[in-house]
Amino acid sequence: MANCPNCGELVSDGSKFCTKCGTPINATPIDNSIEYEIKGGNLPFVEMNLKRGQKIICESGSMAWRDPSITMETTSNGGASKALSRLFSGERLFQNIFTATQDNSKIAFSSSFPGTIMALDVKPGQDIICQKRSFLAGTAGVDLSIHFNQRMGIGFFGGEGFIMQRLSGNGKVFIEIDGSTEEIVLKEGEKIVLSTGHLVLMDSTCQIDIEQNTGLKNILLSGEGFFNTIITGPGRIVTQSMPISKTANMLYDYMPHPSNTSTK
């Protein structure tokens, strides 16, 4: 057995192409190093300086600006099944692939919500599980698919839903985070309690579960709801300070609403 030089997938001896990403098995590994800078403070964007031939994959509508030397191709990027899996994970059916036709070609991608953009290295066999709609852009070696939470309680009450995003392969990826962020590394068996919606991502080695708050007074009066999310190590997690769901609920109270009284 051999590993794909691009995504790290195991392939059978004698295979000429990777069955996952299509890369020739004896090909030179794709250069996933990329020059970038994250700017904009709390309204962030990431600006990249691409070499000739480098490709960046993003969700449709994520690009802010680019040099004319960068071409764009809209694709399902894996066929109907991959497109549908992305749709279930909170992304769109189609992705855009931007390719630099010359060195020093610049392109920028902007966040859709005030917060943070985080750059992550994705390595073979070290998958990352993210909240829905977090993927912004990544190099060609990164694969975006769905992660299904199989426990019913997590899907209904954990705040992350049944479906999350799984990032695998080999390359650099940029994700959107609501508000500020904190990275925490958990040891084997170490746990952390998170309020609903504050989990951004976790290593695939971590386990996610829910825990009901105890005591009627705590449940009804604390404002923390019925359930919390429990993450168990080993592995890294990243949290966010301002989940968009909580922000939307707060803004809702300040918006005009139709009157409940009927007019004659």
Side-chain angles (χ1 to χ4, degrees), residues 66-144:
R66 74 178 193 267
D67 285 342
S69 56
I70 295 178
T71 62
M72 182 186 76
E73 177 191 3
T74 301
T75 174
S76 62
N77 199 18
S81 61
K82 291 288 292 184
L84 287 173
S85 72
R86 288 194 300 269
L87 183 65
F88 283 122
S89 70
E91 304 295 345
R92 300 185 181 181
L93 280 171
F94 295 95
Q95 291 184 317
N96 294 330
I97 300 177
F98 294 94
T99 306
T101 60
Q102 65 184 45
D103 291 339
N104 298 317
S105 297
K106 290 183 170 57
I107 186 169
F109 301 92
S110 60
S111 178
S112 59
F113 187 77
T116 309
I117 293 176
M118 174 178 279
L120 298 169
D121 290 314
V122 181
K123 300 178 181 179
Q126 299 179 20
D127 295 1
I128 299 172
I129 310 301
C130 302
Q131 67 173 349
K132 291 192 294 185
R133 303 180 185 89
S134 60
F135 176 78
L136 179 64
T139 55
V142 174
D143 182 61
L144 172 65

Side-chain angles (χ1 to χ4, degrees), residues 131 158-160 178 195-200 229 240 243-246:
Q131 67 173 349
E160 312 306 328
D178 304 337
S195 184
T196 298
H198 284 270
L199 176 67
V200 178
T229 301
Q240 59 190 5
I244 189 172
S245 57
K246 288 191 174 182

Side-chain angles (χ1 to χ4, degrees), residues 182-260:
E182 179 75 9
E183 183 175 314
I184 303 168
V185 178
L186 300 176
K187 300 177 183 178
E188 178 77 37
E190 187 177 6
K191 299 177 184 288
I192 189 168
V193 181
L194 300 177
S195 184
T196 298
H198 284 270
L199 176 67
V200 178
L201 65 85
M202 64 181 184
D203 289 337
S204 59
T205 53
C206 293
Q207 300 294 321
I208 184 171
D209 205 343
I210 60 168
E211 179 181 77
Q212 183 176 347
N213 288 320
T214 58
L216 185 61
K217 183 173 67 174
N218 292 337
I219 294 175
L220 297 179
L221 304 179
S222 68
E224 300 301 330
F226 286 86
F227 297 92
N228 288 316
T229 301
I230 309 296
I231 309 295
T232 305
R236 167 192 56 174
I237 72 166
V238 173
T239 64
Q240 59 190 5
S241 64
M242 191 173 65
I244 189 172
S245 57
K246 288 191 174 182
T247 305
N249 288 335
M250 291 183 64
L251 292 175
Y252 179 80
D253 294 335
Y254 295 92
M255 294 179 180
H257 305 296
S259 173
N260 291 328

Side-chain angles (χ1 to χ4, degrees), residues 127-185:
D127 295 1
I128 299 172
I129 310 301
C130 302
Q131 67 173 349
K132 291 192 294 185
R133 303 180 185 89
S134 60
F135 176 78
L136 179 64
T139 55
V142 174
D143 182 61
L144 172 65
S145 58
I146 63 172
H147 172 77
F148 188 76
N149 287 320
Q150 296 182 354
R151 298 191 60 180
M152 296 290 288
I154 298 173
F156 283 117
F157 307 115
E160 312 306 328
F162 285 103
I163 295 176
M164 301 176 71
Q165 293 182 340
R166 178 181 290 270
L167 300 172
S168 59
N170 183 24
K172 181 79 71 175
V173 69
F174 300 88
I175 65 169
E176 298 185 60
I177 297 173
D178 304 337
S180 300
T181 183
E182 179 75 9
E183 183 175 314
I184 303 168
V185 178

